[in-house]
Amino acid sequence: MYSVVHFTAGSLNMPIDKSDPDPNPNQSKASKFRWGELEEDDNLDFLLPPKEVIGPDENGIKKVIEYKFNDEGNKVKITTTTRVRKLAKARLNKRALERRNWEKFGDAVREDVGSRLTMVSTEEIILERPRTPGTKAEEIKVPGDSLAQLSKGGAVLMVCRTCGKKGDHWTSKCPYKDLAAPVETFVDKPVASEASVAASGSGKGAYVPPSMRAGAERTAGSDMRRRNDENSVRVTNLSEDTREPDLLELFRPFGAVTRVYVAMDQKTGTSRGFGFVNFVNREDAQRAINKLNGYGYDNLILRVEWATPRAN
Amino acid sequence: MRPILMKGHERPLTFLKYNRDGDLLFSCAKDHTPTVWFADNGERLGTYRGHNGAVWSCDVSRDSMRLITGSADQTVKLWNVQTGAQLYTFNFGSPARSVDFSVGDKLAVITTDPFMELTSAIHVKRIARDPTEQTEESELVIKGPQGRINRAVWGPLNRTIVSAGEDAVIRIWDSETGKLLREADKESGHKKTITSLTKSADGSHFLTGSLDKSAKLWDTRSLTLIKTYVTERPVNAVAMSPLLDHVVLGGGQDASAVTTTDHRAGKFEAKFFDKILQEEIGGVKGHFGPINALAFNPDGKSFSSGGEDGYVRLHHFDPDYFNIKI
């Protein structure tokens, strides 16, 4: 005998309303009806497309697509994906089968179907083999992360001069670059002073390197990079399983992201609970902060703010 | 595997026991109500109401008709498994800790804690077929060990009783006369309180778990130490697979060490060891508190663990569990 085990992942499709000033937003969802017939408001808006059930395929995945009205009155499509799985086949003997039909007693008598006393775990738990000391489980999980690939080398000891952390990143890749004030002032002022020096220097006939000549491209370049780091958003209260790809996925909808970083605890290989996301555009970063601050992600409430208190 | 979580108890779990056929799982907790669940899908069948104190352990008869439970309210009760009705109550002068039916279910061994002037003791009671004929009197009372006796079980053919407790010494007593037959060697034995004891499927050897962060495997007849399994955590519960040569240890964390260890200490796991090689095979995580109870289904294809968090987690093994090689 087997039991049906469900785990559900719901997905909610938001109605198209913000960026598209459509006078009749509800109708953009009703693709089943013809445009010409839908002039007035008191039309077939109350009708919802029928529920679709895409039956269990060979992996046992069943999809149920339902349409509903949410609290704001917008039509909403809900896709529920469940996996139907057979549990262990219990070959019960005769007595055990009889016991299966016993009546409930004690506190179980008044048990309603909704009481969630017995639930199947949503997480897949495996018998974790002991890891040999030195290897990290994260290497398999985050192949795309350049930082992880760097540390895979193992023997190299990376020391960052800005934050002083060993073994995580080189100075040029320090995520706290914009936090270290001395580094910035160095970049800021000498650019201005060197421009004047260059002018006077060339006047004397001294060699002026291309980066310091008048109209040097480099100022714009460094300015661009710095402005990028000014669009750095700090995310705190991350769960310990969160990695760079997760942050990228979470922040990408708001705009182009140049880099993501999640601080890792070297000893345990898990996240230290915070990270940084750099946007290309400041407005994207601002929108991300507005939307994601207080957002529930992996059972924790995120705190999203500017990386340095420089929100003008 | 996807464990089934059963949250029927409000308080920490103390003991788990499968019936002989492996279709029922009995759970005891500090919340006064032992519960019975179906062992395949975790559905609750019923609860046994009547105790007034934490229930420390239980045992079920071979035909799954009788349940015996020992509780901190100084009573041991006999129940009808099917209806949940109380059949008989044994009264003691101190909290009852461990109960165990003999082979044949005609006798039961019960241990009581030291309380006020009373020292801890091991009682043997005769269990009548018909509950109306049940009497209160003990067949045998053994006193002697210092401190709490956490577990006492019947030896092979009911000839002996094996006891283990706070004084870290395992003792074998004659079940007819009450004489001490053997004591475990102090040098090789446990150094701290023995918290749990489980017999092998055939009764030829047994496993003890102790707060000294180790578990030891002993021969039942000669009480010689066969194997030792070392972990990093104090061991609260032990279980042996009836099918493969695996032992499982479940434990907790010293409260004093909580702030000094890393934040992952919250993921309590049941550790699997190879019984013969003494090497760790792996761990099954998931509990939010120390694991206090472990039990293997007699068919060896599933096991359950009960924790301080009040949850019982029922695990059915994936097919590749049976192919594990070191």
Side-chain angles (χ1 to χ4, degrees), chain A residues 1 93 99-100 102 104-108 111 117-119 121-122 124-125 127-130 240 268 270, chain B residues 1-3 5-7 21 23 40-47 49 81-82 263 281-283 285 324:
Chain A
M1 86 185 212
N93 61 31
R99 287 194 277 269
R100 221 27 184 107
W102 278 356
K104 304 269 166 94
F105 58 91
D107 294 328
E111 203 160 285
L117 231 56
T118 304
M119 295 178 288
S121 166
T122 47
E124 175 87 10
I125 306 274
L127 181 64
E128 287 171 34
R129 309 301 297 263
E240 63 180 34
T268 69
T270 57
Chain B
M1 53 195 153
R2 280 209 192 253
L5 282 58
M6 290 119 81
K7 179 93 165 96
D21 298 323
D23 64 310
D40 48 6
N41 63 355
E43 191 189 324
R44 187 167 71 166
L45 171 57
T47 61
R49 293 190 284 211
V81 170
Q82 179 171 5
H263 63 280
I281 301 174
K285 290 202 161 100
I324 291 180

Side-chain angles (χ1 to χ4, degrees), chain B residues 71-122:
Chain B
S71 162
D73 65 357
Q74 305 182 2
T75 65
V76 164
K77 288 185 193 283
L78 275 176
W79 312 77
N80 178 326
V81 170
Q82 179 171 5
T83 62
Q86 274 185 55
L87 297 171
Y88 194 79
T89 304
F90 293 98
N91 288 300
F92 293 94
S94 58
R97 178 100 3 201
S98 154
V99 293
D100 194 42
F101 274 123
S102 63
V103 176
D105 305 324
K106 292 230 179 76
L107 299 164
V109 64
I110 299 161
T111 62
T112 50
D113 290 348
F115 188 66
M116 299 214 284
E117 304 88 32
L118 294 168
T119 53
S120 54
I122 302 172

Side-chain angles (χ1 to χ4, degrees), chain B residues 188-208:
Chain B
S188 57
H190 283 294
K191 303 285 174 287
K192 283 197 189 166
T193 303
I194 300 174
T195 50
S196 47
L197 192 157
T198 184
K199 292 191 288 190
S200 69
D202 62 356
S204 61
H205 50 285
F206 64 93
L207 180 66
T208 53

Side-chain angles (χ1 to χ4, degrees), chain A residues 11-186:
Chain A
S11 67
L12 204 58
N13 291 357
M14 300 287 279
I16 316 156
D17 54 3
K18 284 188 286 268
S19 48
D20 178 17
D22 186 352
N24 283 337
N26 290 338
Q27 287 175 15
S28 50
K29 282 252 141 236
S31 50
K32 300 232 166 52
F33 309 110
R34 294 224 308 262
W35 277 72
E37 294 172 355
L38 300 169
E39 302 286 351
E40 314 80 41
D41 264 58
D42 58 332
N43 54 13
L44 309 160
D45 262 355
F46 59 89
L47 280 185
L48 293 170
K51 179 167 95 166
E52 281 174 51
V53 177
I54 303 164
D57 59 19
E58 66 274 2
N59 292 332
I61 310 253
K62 182 171 93 171
K63 271 203 172 74
V64 177
I65 303 178
E66 296 169 301
Y67 293 87
K68 288 199 163 96
F69 283 112
N70 68 1
D71 298 325
E72 290 150 27
N74 293 320
K75 228 180 262 185
V76 138
K77 173 185 175 190
I78 302 177
T79 312
T80 313
T81 314
T82 54
R83 184 187 292 152
V84 174
R85 214 168 140 246
K86 267 203 281 192
L87 277 188
K89 254 194 226 146
R91 277 174 297 216
L92 299 177
N93 61 31
K94 193 172 65 173
R95 298 271 144 68
L97 280 173
E98 284 168 30
R99 287 194 277 269
R100 221 27 184 107
N101 296 323
W102 278 356
E103 269 180 28
K104 304 269 166 94
F105 58 91
D107 294 328
V109 164
R110 277 170 270 102
E111 203 160 285
D112 47 312
V113 184
S115 75
R116 310 289 238 107
L117 231 56
T118 304
M119 295 178 288
V120 181
S121 166
T122 47
E123 278 174 52
E124 175 87 10
I125 306 274
I126 49 162
L127 181 64
E128 287 171 34
R129 309 301 297 263
R131 280 181 251 131
T132 51
T135 60
K136 289 191 234 172
E138 276 68 47
E139 286 179 29
I140 317 148
K141 272 196 257 167
V142 193
D145 186 6
S146 53
L147 288 176
Q149 282 174 345
L150 282 174
S151 57
K152 237 196 259 184
V156 176
L157 191 66
M158 296 186 278
V159 184
C160 165
R161 283 187 289 271
T162 317
C163 54
K165 276 195 342 158
K166 286 202 200 120
D168 194 20
H169 52 269
W170 296 111
T171 314
S172 59
K173 293 216 184 316
C174 179
Y176 312 122
K177 216 173 3 180
D178 39 9
L179 292 183
V183 180
E184 282 161 357
T185 53
F186 174 79

Side-chain angles (χ1 to χ4, degrees), chain B residues 202-268:
Chain B
D202 62 356
S204 61
H205 50 285
F206 64 93
L207 180 66
T208 53
S210 160
L211 295 182
D212 67 0
K213 304 188 184 163
S214 74
K216 291 182 194 279
L217 192 69
W218 309 83
D219 176 283
T220 318
R221 275 181 305 175
S222 58
L223 203 49
T224 42
L225 176 62
I226 308 174
K227 298 281 177 194
T228 307
Y229 312 93
V230 180
T231 63
E232 303 134 9
R233 291 170 180 208
V235 178
N236 289 343
V238 291
M240 267 197 277
S241 169
L243 197 59
L244 301 175
D245 283 330
H246 292 167
V247 305
V248 192
L249 310 185
Q253 175 134 33
D254 269 337
S256 56
V258 166
T259 51
T260 59
T261 53
D262 68 326
H263 63 280
R264 276 188 319 166
K267 301 274 188 122
F268 293 89

